[in-house]
Amino acid sequence: MEQYITQPEAMEEEEPLFSNLDLFLFTLIAGLIIYWFMSRKKAEPIPEFKKLDQPAPSTRETSFIEKMKKTGRNIVVFYGSQTGTGEEFANRLSKDAQRYGMKGMAADPEEYVMCELSRLAEIDNSLAIFCMATYGEGDPTDNAQDFYDWLQESDLELNGVNYTVFALGNKTYEHYNAMGAYVDKRLEELGAKRVFDLGMGDDDGNLEEDFVTWREQFWPAMCEHFGVEASGEDSSIRQYELKEHNDINMNKVYTGELGRLKSFETQKPPFDSKNPFLAPVIVNRKLNKAGNRHLMHLEVDITGSKIRYESGDHVAVYPTNDTAIVNKLGQILGVDLDMVISLNNLDEESNKKHPFPCPTTYRTALTHYLDIIHPPRTNVLYELAQYATDPKDQENMRKMASSAPEGKALYQSFVLEDNRNILAILEDLPSLRPPIDHLCELMPRLQARYYSIASSSKVHPNSIHICAVLVEYTTKTGRLTKGVATTWLKNKLVADNGHKSTVPMYIRKSQFRLPFKASNPVIMVGPGTGIAPFMGFIQERGWLKEQGKEVGETVLYFGCRHKNEDYLYQEELEEAEKTGVITKLNVAFSRDQEQKVYVQHLLRTNKEDLWRQIHTDNAHIYICGDARNMARDVQTAFYEIAEELGGMTRTQATDYIKKLMTKGRYSQDVWS
């Protein structure tokens, strides 16, 4: 509006009819009227508000029903997947359908309007399969959160909808397969028809075996249900075709980015799983003073990223594979790893155009995008068997992919117990030399690794701290196996030459939170690297104290092997106790005496104090670390304390602790 303000200057020499102030106000009002009139022409259309059970308009196809009709499919396999296994199983089932005279598609529930499930009956012989993983404390995976919310709120009738569910979980967790069981039960409540029993996959045992066993019973039952016969085709069904790029602008080639091309060169918030932030490593120090393990503390800088985090959240990092292993794979398969390629989906209607960002090089795919360290699943062995020139190798590989007891035992010993990755399998089966593009198609995606954040944003708003232990062991075949992420993190050195090591990362929100009222006591139990989130909690409680807040008792139970070797953060913890931030520091050194002492033993020693804090003072309990043994033993110790000091039976004590969990007063951040 500056153009109007200059007008009075042109009239300076004449006797003004109006005062300068009048003219100023007049032109200002005129300007505002013109601005209003012009902007009205460009007014945004009034948004339409749709009801919950109506599809939203979108440029991308959000109707899986229309897609199924258009492409002649009758089976849709939805997946809830956090680490990629659920998605992998869904892809296998959708490929299977072809062998049984049906046509399937794998689908991410996040990409489709799930209320359209009610229309599935419009397609003859149709079926919805759900491969649903459970995350954390019985939660849905990130991509299934909206579907879970919809299931809880919807009262849509699903009459005529056929479905089955395969659940992925881990028995060591409190809420084993909670998500799969909920989907199975809720779909039935909404009127859908369960055509095959809920499958339960246990990652603490052998998830692959559970899936193969369920799948081998499932397909014959479906053939009977739909009155179809298996085609008997055992030939490999390729999902992608290879295109080699001999003359391509290298600026159009992916070099490790997960979403937008060149996103690592020009970083733009917001940062998430498809667009991680490259955080410079500013600290990388060894935590343990002695011993043969390597425990590390890293700090990454998030200045200027607009990333926010809370104590208890997880930082997700995207590691890369060891270059030596990548080079060996290229060597053994006799390929030029720097060849630029694309793997293009043969199904043009699929939302998933490539198995990983393309075009890229084999080297980038094997380094950044593919999991080449995890022992391959049975379907990979089955598909690769055709390339083994020795009939015995071919027979064994196919046998391992079957549900026959002999085949299961062979897979268990040769692949799982001996911990053979794809390179080890190729080395030990010299007749097996598959084309590298088929191998890349079959390998699962390399996933982000989650670490509990070991800092508080109140104290460290511009950095995130990570505490981790290097994974390194020798397998039965004498091979040294190194953890992908921890080896990669260990090598993220803080350089003096101005070149900073960076870590692609984003934040995953957690329910692991300090009590809303700072005056509530907190009891933290975290041996080993389970100390991580509690470093953040302790920093935050200290900060609250400095702000003059009334802070309740802050009690820590930490455990390690030897006081002089792996007492992590010893100086920080002892200082926090000295200043009164930690009310009581209890440390169990398991191997410093003949009789092993663990955190659960210390809990029993302090039972009177603990019972008062829990039963009378409203304390919040937090457990972090190993789910298989520690978390279970600690929970048992709490049952025993409630039993003894609360005068309860074991059943009542169990219910008492379970009620604390429901109220959010007993939280676990555990892994197995």
Side-chain angles (χ1 to χ4, degrees):
M1 295 194 301
E2 285 173 355
Q3 56 190 358
Y4 303 116
I5 296 167
T6 59
Q7 284 178 4
E9 291 172 18
M11 303 166 75
E12 261 175 20
E13 290 172 21
E14 295 180 50
E15 188 66 24
L17 289 169
F18 303 101
S19 73
N20 282 349
L21 181 62
D22 289 337
L23 280 165
F24 175 78
L25 289 169
F26 174 77
T27 50
L28 185 65
I29 290 161
L32 286 167
I33 289 165
I34 292 164
Y35 177 80
W36 177 78
F37 186 77
M38 296 293 284
S39 66
R40 270 190 77 206
K41 289 187 175 180
K42 295 179 205 167
E44 291 290 314
I46 296 165
E48 283 183 47
F49 292 95
K50 299 235 171 219
K51 287 181 188 170
L52 181 71
D53 282 336
Q54 279 191 318
S58 168
T59 49
R60 198 184 65 223
E61 179 69 89
T62 60
S63 167
F64 66 88
I65 297 294
E66 293 310 319
K67 192 165 184 177
M68 287 173 78
K69 286 179 175 179
K70 205 189 298 176
T71 56
R73 293 161 204 266
N74 63 327
I75 291 178
V76 58
V77 194
F78 291 105
Y79 56 85
S81 185
Q82 197 70 28
T83 61
T85 311
E87 181 179 359
E88 204 184 313
F89 286 0
N91 282 323
R92 285 162 71 175
L93 288 167
S94 98
K95 267 174 95 172
D96 280 348
Q98 207 168 321
R99 292 196 175 101
Y100 294 92
M102 295 176 256
K103 207 172 174 197
M105 66 178 253
D108 182 343
E110 202 170 31
E111 293 182 0
Y112 294 99
V113 180
M114 292 306 287
C115 59
E116 290 222 325
L117 261 182
S118 58
R119 293 181 55 205
L120 194 61
E122 294 172 16
I123 296 168
D124 290 340
N125 286 347
S126 59
L127 169 69
I129 307 172
F130 294 85
C131 289
M132 306 308 289
T134 299
Y135 187 79
E137 295 300 288
D139 303 318
T141 56
D142 291 350
N143 77 311
Q145 183 66 56
D146 291 346
F147 173 49
Y148 174 73
D149 294 342
W150 175 77
L151 277 177
Q152 288 193 305
E153 295 160 14
S154 179
D155 54 4
L156 208 62
E157 286 190 6
L158 300 181
N159 300 337
V161 173
N162 296 317
Y163 80 93
T164 188
V165 179
F166 183 81
L168 297 85
N170 188 310
K171 261 209 178 83
T172 59
Y173 289 76
E174 184 68 31
H175 305 277
Y176 174 53
N177 273 332
M179 182 59 183
Y182 174 75
V183 171
D184 182 59
K185 175 173 141 284
R186 187 70 184 125
L187 290 172
E188 186 179 45
E189 286 170 358
L190 292 171
K193 183 185 176 190
R194 183 190 297 106
V195 292
F196 193 70
D197 292 341
L198 167 68
M200 298 284 264
D202 177 19
D203 204 25
D204 185 47
N206 185 336
L207 184 59
E208 176 69 14
E209 188 179 306
D210 295 336
F211 176 68
V212 167
T213 305
W214 179 84
R215 175 175 162 249
E216 292 223 346
Q217 293 166 352
F218 164 73
W219 282 116
M222 286 309 95
C223 289
E224 198 177 322
H225 181 84
F226 292 121
V228 294
E229 276 183 39
S231 63
E233 266 185 56
D234 266 355
S235 62
S236 169
I237 300 164
R238 289 293 299 263
Q239 202 176 340
Y240 299 93
E241 66 177 349
L242 172 69
K243 179 170 173 36
E244 294 180 348
H245 304 278
N246 296 312
D247 185 21
I248 190 169
N249 179 347
M250 290 310 280
N251 280 328
K252 294 186 175 167
V253 177
Y254 281 88
T255 57
E257 308 94 324
L258 292 140
R260 181 174 54 86
L261 189 67
K262 303 289 174 199
S263 62
F264 287 165
E265 285 175 30
T266 52
Q267 293 256 279
K268 292 176 190 168
F271 297 105
D272 55 28
S273 59
K274 299 282 192 305
N275 180 36
F277 176 64
L278 284 185
V281 177
I282 46 176
V283 173
N284 184 350
R285 63 184 170 94
K286 189 176 177 184
L287 280 173
N288 49 320
K289 301 175 188 76
N292 53 12
R293 295 189 305 159
H294 184 95
L295 292 121
M296 57 192 125
H297 171 88
L298 284 95
E299 295 178 19
V300 296
D301 189 359
I302 55 167
T303 307
S305 67
K306 297 189 176 154
I307 288 172
R308 300 281 173 268
Y309 73 95
E310 297 291 329
S311 304
D313 283 343
H314 297 126
V315 57
V317 302
Y318 284 99
T320 57
N321 288 310
D322 186 341
T323 33
I325 295 174
V326 172
N327 289 336
K328 266 192 205 164
L329 274 170
Q331 208 180 328
I332 214 165
L333 294 174
V335 291
D336 172 10
L337 290 175
D338 297 308
M339 162 73 72
V340 179
I341 56 115
S342 287
L343 285 178
N344 302 323
N345 204 322
L346 290 161
D347 172 9
E348 287 173 11
E349 297 293 330
S350 175
N351 281 6
K352 194 174 183 181
K353 301 299 176 199
H354 317 282
F356 42 78
C358 289
T360 190
T361 64
Y362 285 124
R363 187 183 303 283
T364 300
L366 294 169
T367 305
H368 292 270
Y369 300 137
L370 299 171
D371 184 350
I372 56 175
I373 298 302
H374 195 274
R377 298 197 183 277
T378 57
N379 65 307
V380 176
L381 302 179
Y382 183 85
E383 296 259 350
L384 294 181
Q386 61 184 303
Y387 302 112
T389 51
D390 181 335
K392 189 76 187 142
D393 288 347
Q394 199 171 108
E395 186 196 335
N396 281 335
M397 288 175 77
R398 290 222 165 102
K399 196 187 284 176
M400 283 190 269
S402 77
S403 62
E406 193 191 343
K408 283 181 182 179
L410 185 59
Y411 178 73
Q412 180 70 32
S413 62
F414 184 76
V415 179
L416 298 182
E417 286 170 17
D418 290 351
N419 204 45
R420 279 184 173 87
N421 58 28
I422 193 64
L423 176 61
I425 286 169
L426 292 172
E427 285 173 340
D428 292 346
L429 302 179
S431 92
L432 178 65
R433 293 296 176 263
I436 192 166
D437 62 296
H438 199 178
L439 186 75
C440 288
E441 174 179 323
L442 293 169
M443 288 283 98
R445 282 291 294 266
L446 184 59
Q447 299 293 329
R449 305 306 205 258
Y450 299 95
Y451 294 94
S452 303
I453 296 176
S455 53
S456 162
S457 57
K458 302 284 192 292
V459 182
H460 299 283
N462 292 319
S463 67
I464 284 169
H465 300 185
I466 298 170
C467 171
V469 59
L470 179 69
V471 175
E472 207 171 77
Y473 56 93
T474 303
T475 68
K476 286 183 180 176
T477 62
R479 292 179 170 95
L480 179 67
T481 298
K482 298 176 178 182
V484 176
T486 54
T487 304
W488 171 79
L489 282 172
K490 179 178 180 262
N491 294 325
K492 290 282 170 187
L493 304 175
V494 182
D496 297 328
N497 60 5
H499 173 75
K500 287 201 172 96
S501 294
T502 55
V503 167
M505 52 73 66
Y506 70 96
I507 298 297
R508 189 178 195 280
K509 292 290 170 197
S510 159
Q511 301 302 313
F512 203 68
R513 287 279 182 268
L514 277 169
F516 182 70
K517 281 170 70 179
S519 56
N520 282 119
V522 299
I523 298 158
M524 304 172 288
V525 185
T529 54
I531 187 73
F534 303 137
M535 293 309 294
F537 281 12
I538 291 160
Q539 287 171 15
E540 191 142 325
R541 299 279 272 191
W543 179 84
L544 288 164
K545 255 184 140 77
E546 281 172 18
Q547 304 303 302
K549 295 269 182 357
E550 186 200 332
V551 177
E553 289 177 79
T554 304
V555 181
L556 175 67
Y557 288 85
F558 173 65
C560 60
R561 294 177 184 182
H562 302 282
K563 185 173 184 174
N564 297 328
E565 279 187 16
D566 52 359
Y567 186 170
L568 309 185
Y569 301 109
Q570 182 178 355
E571 292 78 14
E572 292 95 320
L573 294 175
E574 287 176 352
E575 180 61 26
E577 187 180 35
K578 203 185 291 177
T579 56
V581 174
I582 294 179
T583 320
K584 192 159 186 232
L585 176 60
N586 306 279
V587 189
F589 304 107
S590 62
R591 301 181 189 187
D592 273 351
Q593 60 287 307
E594 211 175 311
Q595 199 85 36
K596 284 190 179 167
V597 177
Y598 296 116
V599 282
Q600 60 268 28
H601 299 133
L602 299 188
L603 291 172
R604 290 186 183 97
T605 307
N606 298 331
K607 58 190 175 188
E608 281 84 6
D609 259 358
L610 279 168
W611 184 244
R612 169 188 55 77
Q613 288 154 352
I614 298 163
H615 197 61
T616 312
D617 301 341
N618 229 10
H620 285 234
I621 302 163
Y622 300 92
I623 320 293
C624 182
D626 161 53
R628 190 177 280 115
N629 301 309
M630 183 276 299
R632 201 177 277 171
D633 292 343
V634 164
Q635 204 163 309
T636 304
F638 279 115
Y639 292 157
E640 287 169 3
I641 291 166
E643 215 176 327
E644 188 185 335
L645 297 172
M648 303 178 189
T649 63
R650 176 49 70 99
T651 310
Q652 289 169 329
T654 307
D655 289 346
Y656 182 87
I657 299 298
K658 293 273 163 71
K659 274 203 184 91
L660 292 182
M661 290 176 179
T662 312
K663 289 176 184 168
R665 279 184 53 206
Y666 189 114
S667 307
Q668 298 188 92
D669 181 0
V670 292
W671 55 84
S672 69

